[in-house]
């Protein structure tokens, strides 16, 4: 099975096996968002356990 090209650009595995992702809503229309909101969107997050199996399937790791 091929790896999904969009998924490999958006997700990364950590050393412990969790999946890192970026926050949405940080690419444009930033003038109406507060500094705090933009700052909090900068940090990486982890994929929820409910979505983990779907992402692993896209990355052809399952």
């Amino acid at each position: 099975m091929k790896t999904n090209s969009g998924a490999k650009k958006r997700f990364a595995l950590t050393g412990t096996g969790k999946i890192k992702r970026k926050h949405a809503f940080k690419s444009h229309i930033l003038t109406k968002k507060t500094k705090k909101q933009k700052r909090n969107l900068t940090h990486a997050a982890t994929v929820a356990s409910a979505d983990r199996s779907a992402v692993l399937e896209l990355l052809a790791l399952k």
Side-chain angles (χ1 to χ4, degrees):
M1 184 201 256
K2 288 185 178 180
T3 299
N4 182 285
S5 296
K8 71 183 176 187
K9 296 168 193 172
R10 288 170 171 82
F11 301 107
L13 285 174
T14 64
T16 56
K18 294 177 183 173
I19 306 169
K20 285 197 311 186
R21 65 171 177 85
K22 289 186 176 181
H23 281 101
F25 308 108
K26 185 75 195 308
S27 58
H28 61 101
I29 315 176
L30 298 172
T31 52
K32 63 175 76 170
K33 294 171 187 154
T34 63
K35 289 179 191 173
K36 181 179 180 179
Q37 194 176 2
K38 289 183 279 192
R39 185 173 61 244
N40 289 336
L41 290 172
T42 298
H43 309 295
T46 55
V47 171
S49 57
D51 301 322
R52 183 178 158 71
S53 60
V55 173
L56 287 174
E57 195 172 319
L58 289 172
L59 295 173
L61 297 173
K62 183 178 173 189

